[in-house]
Amino acid sequence: MPSPALRHADLAGLSAQELREIIRAGRYDRHTAGLAAGKLQCNLAILPEAHALDFLRFCQRNPKPCPVVGVSETGDPMLPTLGRDIDIRTDVPRYRVFRHGDLTEEVTDITSVWRDDLVTVALGCSFTFENALMKAGIPMRHIERDQTVPMYRSSLQLVPAGPFGGEMVVTMRPVARDRVEDAHRISAAFPQAHGSPIGMGDPVGVGISDLNRPDWGEPVEVRADEVPVYWACGVTPQNVLQAAKLAVCITHAPGHMLIADVAEDAETTVLPH
Amino acid sequence: MPSPALRHADLAGLSAQELREIIRAGRYDRHTAGLAAGKLQCNLAILPEAHALDFLRFCQRNPKPCPVVGVSETGDPMLPTLGRDIDIRTDVPRYRVFRHGDLTEEVTDITSVWRDDLVTVALGCSFTFENALMKAGIPMRHIERDQTVPMYRSSLQLVPAGPFGGEMVVTMRPVARDRVEDAHRISAAFPQAHGSPIGMGDPVGVGISDLNRPDWGEPVEVRADEVPVYWACGVTPQNVLQAAKLAVCITHAPGHMLIADVAEDAETTVLPH
């Protein structure tokens, strides 16, 4: 008899490894925000080795939207530098499979899709700096309201590499005018998680025509004493991968992240060995 | 009639681009320490594309000795994210060419060695954090004495990737006991330049049997009120490349660095475009 499915609230206090075991067993397939406090969570890009060098070059040239925190061996589903016994085929709650640029499957296990030529690239995510901002008393309105952060296609051109390029996707979070400098300084300390803001104030400056109409996520009110602050977003590499129309690539489903054993404030994202 | 050769003292106050033009013209082939104040200087690893993915994986897994700050297109000698018109075949004062692990040539121009399958990987160097430490009033004895920093083969195992692996090379700088914490904090702010120390105190702890007998460079006195502090060293990737016995690879000659247009305290090492 299979174990019953678990809810987000059931998972409070569990370690990263315990959570991955539950996810691997198929007992949890929802979002990972707030789980395994203090541990790094990762965006995921899995692609054929033939494109991996170009993708790593792309990430190196666009470190704010694409901060690389782990890279697998070719064909090896394990990620030992990020955590104990991570099997990338099973340890993420929900995946998206793209073929020639089309989303063809959303699944909770990619064992049947796995190929010997796939390379996993793990990328830092915004949960890390959001946690640091909240700890410093800078509230995140979208989290308070249990909404998805608003995301926008910006006009900021990415530095291309091979088939990868396009425009940066950015998130917006309203910050009280007198905390904007703190928000900049605090997030700058997390280069592995998008780093400092890429802009603030007038949305037209970053190519956003209407803050109330995000391309993904839900709009968030900006009050009179607040400034809209823009950060590079981890949806960027997913978009770029999809636009490159590779024969196959796999990402996590938005919000359904890989939970690593690495501390989110570690100086490097490589576990001591 | 060729222009006369220049000395280090002639180059004070010149910009990174002016220096590269002089180097490219064959008018300067000496060390670059202290030149183009405030600009990032880079270690160099040039290798065939067939090994570039493994080498980038290796660097990602060993970010302290191998902080990647730029990667070229395959076969393209330009590095536009690091500086204007950088031609890596001519813009470094002195190169070392290795064939099957043997140093076969030390040259001031690699145009005749260049191949269409070569990839350039630029890596941060210790000049960056040394400058920051000296600005904070933490003296660097090897610089005061015009010596080369002492370097040691440590017992610290690198995380391997493909043919790349081995032990970390570390540098030692004596720091006054009451400034050790400052030295840690200041250098940690430069992940693109080896970051915080990898150890301090007892050399046996990092596998060094005798501080007075460095493997490269010259020994430096550690006084009674000082602590020996160890940082990851940019000679590591050179050693690792040599040990991998690739058919061909090219590095800079020690101390003869690529001078980039990127500010050494920039949040990312990618020029705004």
Side-chain angles (χ1 to χ4, degrees):
Chain A
M1 201 175 81
S3 305
L6 295 168
R7 294 160 309 162
H8 192 278
D10 299 326
L11 306 179
L14 295 184
S15 74
Q17 203 177 344
E18 289 166 336
L19 289 164
R20 291 196 302 269
E21 281 166 13
I22 286 169
I23 292 165
R24 189 180 311 176
R27 299 184 60 203
Y28 185 73
D29 65 359
R30 305 295 301 279
H31 80 82
T32 55
L35 297 179
K39 297 300 183 187
L40 190 72
Q41 295 203 22
C42 309
N43 290 301
L44 212 60
I46 303 177
L47 73 171
E49 185 186 51
H51 299 291
L53 176 60
D54 275 333
F55 190 68
L56 289 184
R57 283 194 269 228
F58 176 76
C59 293
Q60 193 279 322
R61 294 172 193 171
N62 300 280
K64 290 190 138 188
C66 308
V68 175
V69 297
V71 186
S72 77
E73 293 295 300
T74 302
D76 185 346
M78 311 307 279
L79 285 168
T81 59
L82 284 172
R84 197 166 168 230
D85 295 334
I86 293 180
D87 185 332
I88 205 62
R89 298 170 300 186
T90 52
D91 289 8
V92 170
R94 196 167 276 276
Y95 305 82
R96 288 184 168 179
V97 182
F98 296 85
R99 298 179 196 274
H100 303 287
D102 294 323
L103 171 62
T104 54
E105 297 127 88
E106 182 161 313
V107 293
T108 59
D109 184 312
I110 53 167
T111 304
S112 66
V113 185
W114 190 258
R115 302 178 356 177
D116 282 349
D117 70 335
L118 292 180
V119 175
T120 300
V121 180
L123 303 145
C125 98
S126 57
F127 292 167
T128 296
F129 76 78
E130 288 181 341
N131 292 341
L133 293 175
M134 289 187 290
K135 262 190 210 163
I138 299 173
M140 299 281 103
R141 188 159 297 138
H142 68 281
I143 294 178
E144 289 175 350
R145 303 201 170 167
D146 200 23
Q147 294 182 334
T148 305
V149 70
M151 294 167 260
Y152 307 85
R153 294 182 195 273
S154 79
S155 58
L156 301 167
Q157 289 296 311
L158 299 160
V159 186
F164 306 113
E167 288 88 33
M168 196 187 299
V169 177
V170 303
T171 50
M172 188 283 287
R173 295 167 185 80
V175 176
R177 205 168 292 277
D178 63 352
R179 300 303 308 273
V180 165
E181 220 176 286
D182 292 338
H184 194 286
R185 179 181 47 76
I186 292 166
S187 56
F190 296 98
Q192 77 278 30
H194 305 313
S196 73
I198 51 86
M200 57 185 66
D202 184 6
V204 174
V206 293
I208 300 172
S209 53
D210 185 352
L211 281 180
N212 292 316
R213 298 181 58 185
D215 294 295
W216 301 270
E218 293 155 275
V220 159
E221 178 198 6
V222 182
R223 295 181 188 152
D225 62 337
E226 293 173 337
V227 178
V229 180
Y230 311 103
W231 275 271
C233 175
V235 166
T236 309
Q238 298 199 33
N239 256 19
V240 160
L241 271 176
Q242 191 174 357
K245 299 185 187 295
L246 307 185
V248 65
C249 72
I250 305 165
T251 71
H252 65 291
H256 299 63
M257 319 301 277
L258 170 66
I259 305 175
D261 292 341
V262 174
E264 63 183 354
D265 60 354
E267 189 185 356
T268 78
T269 59
V270 181
L271 285 179
H273 56 285
Chain B
M1 202 172 82
S3 306
L6 296 168
R7 295 161 308 162
H8 192 277
D10 299 326
L11 306 179
L14 295 184
S15 74
Q17 203 179 345
E18 288 166 335
L19 290 164
R20 291 196 304 269
E21 281 166 12
I22 286 168
I23 293 164
R24 188 180 311 176
R27 299 184 60 201
Y28 185 73
D29 65 359
R30 306 296 300 278
H31 80 83
T32 55
L35 297 179
K39 296 301 182 187
L40 189 73
Q41 295 202 22
C42 308
N43 290 301
L44 212 60
I46 303 177
L47 74 170
E49 184 185 51
H51 299 290
L53 176 60
D54 276 334
F55 190 69
L56 290 184
R57 282 194 269 228
F58 176 76
C59 293
Q60 193 279 321
R61 293 172 194 173
N62 300 280
K64 290 190 138 190
C66 308
V68 175
V69 298
V71 186
S72 76
E73 293 295 300
T74 302
D76 185 346
M78 310 309 279
L79 286 168
T81 59
L82 283 171
R84 197 165 168 230
D85 294 334
I86 292 179
D87 185 331
I88 206 62
R89 298 170 299 185
T90 52
D91 289 8
V92 170
R94 196 165 275 277
Y95 305 82
R96 288 183 168 179
V97 182
F98 297 87
R99 298 178 195 275
H100 303 288
D102 295 323
L103 172 62
T104 54
E105 296 127 89
E106 183 162 311
V107 293
T108 59
D109 184 311
I110 54 166
T111 303
S112 67
V113 186
W114 190 258
R115 303 178 355 177
D116 282 349
D117 69 335
L118 292 179
V119 175
T120 300
V121 180
L123 303 144
C125 99
S126 56
F127 293 165
T128 297
F129 76 79
E130 289 181 340
N131 292 342
L133 292 175
M134 289 188 289
K135 261 189 212 164
I138 298 174
M140 298 283 101
R141 188 160 297 140
H142 69 281
I143 294 177
E144 289 175 350
R145 303 202 170 166
D146 200 22
Q147 293 181 335
T148 305
V149 70
M151 294 167 262
Y152 308 85
R153 292 181 196 274
S154 79
S155 58
L156 301 168
Q157 290 296 312
L158 299 162
V159 185
F164 307 112
E167 288 88 35
M168 197 188 298
V169 177
V170 303
T171 50
M172 189 282 288
R173 294 167 185 80
V175 175
R177 205 168 294 276
D178 63 352
R179 300 303 307 273
V180 165
E181 219 176 287
D182 291 338
H184 194 287
R185 178 180 47 77
I186 291 165
S187 56
F190 296 97
Q192 76 279 30
H194 306 313
S196 73
I198 53 84
M200 57 184 65
D202 184 6
V204 173
V206 293
I208 300 172
S209 53
D210 185 352
L211 280 181
N212 292 315
R213 298 181 59 187
D215 294 294
W216 301 269
E218 294 157 274
V220 159
E221 179 196 7
V222 182
R223 296 180 187 151
D225 62 336
E226 293 174 337
V227 178
V229 181
Y230 311 104
W231 275 270
C233 175
V235 165
T236 307
Q238 298 199 31
N239 257 17
V240 161
L241 271 176
Q242 191 174 357
K245 298 185 188 297
L246 307 186
V248 65
C249 72
I250 306 164
T251 71
H252 66 291
H256 300 62
M257 319 300 277
L258 170 66
I259 305 175
D261 293 340
V262 174
E264 63 183 354
D265 60 354
E267 190 185 355
T268 79
T269 59
V270 180
L271 285 180
H273 56 288

